Amino acid sequence: MNITRKQFSTIALGALATALCTGAWAQGTYPTKNVTMVVPTAAGGTTDLSARMLAQALAPVLGQSVIVDNKGGGNGNIAASIVKRAEPDGYTVFMQYSGYHVISPHITKQKQWDQGDFQPVANVISAPQIIVVRADLPVKTLPELIAYAKANPGKLNYASSGNGSLQHVTGAMLEQQGAIKMVHVPYKGTGPALQDLLGGQVDLTFGTAPPFMPHIASGKLRVLAVTGKERLPSLPDVPTTAEAGYSKVDATSWFAVFVPAAVPKPVVDKLTADIRTVVQSAAFKQKALEQGATADYQTPAQLGDKVKTDLANWAQVVKTSRIEAE
């Protein structure tokens, strides 16, 4: 079939207009199906709990189910790779843990993703680390832990959610500041690490409070200190590391939503607005507080700035704490 240049131009412009209108309509009605929230850890840790808290509260606001999909392992690389390759339509989102996002890049030899593969949507929760030991370990305070470690060099072992995780870095900071040596035991997330701590296979760990709170309350675990600048309202009798004499052991985690880099801005705008509605609600704030965390909504721009700042800050901490690359 022969067509003139004018006819071709008319057809091409019509097709382009149809595509643009279809894209605008699709974005304007987002979401029209379930959203999958990929989590880079096994079930049971604060990243998983943050994802499930957000997914449950976000679903009625979005008008669609939000399905949590745990893809633990590889220091977060498995989940990050899945989200990186996902269709950039807003139906695959990433609940990321700060340790994996701004610490792991400094210690990973073979990088599977770059910061540019994702765009920030919203920060959801922030929380300091706590230092937790098995109940039958003969220490009740942080100074006693340091003294025990010095009296038993190399005997204590501590669990983390993986090499380069914030728990790992916190442990290395404590070793450095306390002039002690412990054995690092990495796991595929806080959940498995917690189970072995409860079972007595490891002596202590560092982590955000939510997954530990029931076991602290039952007496199965003992918390020695909070690594933030202030005591936790949910653990008012637990001193900070500064109060215990180790002010340089200071670590706070954040848990935030990211999406693939090419997701359209209207979709990101919709997601961050709905997440803000959830995170700033009284119910969500109270639930986070009860778990030893803080509901901490931040815009895409604010989260992006946080990532840049933390990348630079943790680079120096990793260097001085002698964390080795994988």
Side-chain angles (χ1 to χ4, degrees), residues 44-50 97-99 125-132 161 166-167 170 190 194 205-214 216 221 223 225-227 232 234-235 251-255 288 291-294:
T46 304
T47 313
D48 175 65
L49 292 174
S50 298
Y97 158 54
S98 59
I125 281 177
S126 296
Q129 303 278 300
I130 58 174
I131 302 175
V132 186
S161 62
L166 190 55
Q167 294 100 316
T170 305
T190 300
L194 171 58
T205 192
F206 310 84
T208 47
F212 300 99
M213 294 297 284
I216 293 170
L221 298 178
V223 57
V226 176
T227 66
L232 286 172
S234 55
L235 295 168
T252 296
S253 300
W254 46 261
F255 306 88
Q291 295 294 324
T294 301

Side-chain angles (χ1 to χ4, degrees), residues 269-290:
D269 290 345
K270 166 68 173 172
L271 276 170
T272 195
D274 286 354
I275 291 172
R276 180 178 63 233
T277 297
V278 169
V279 175
Q280 293 184 343
S281 69
F284 194 91
K285 288 180 178 180
Q286 182 61 31
K287 189 170 184 178
L289 187 65
E290 290 171 354

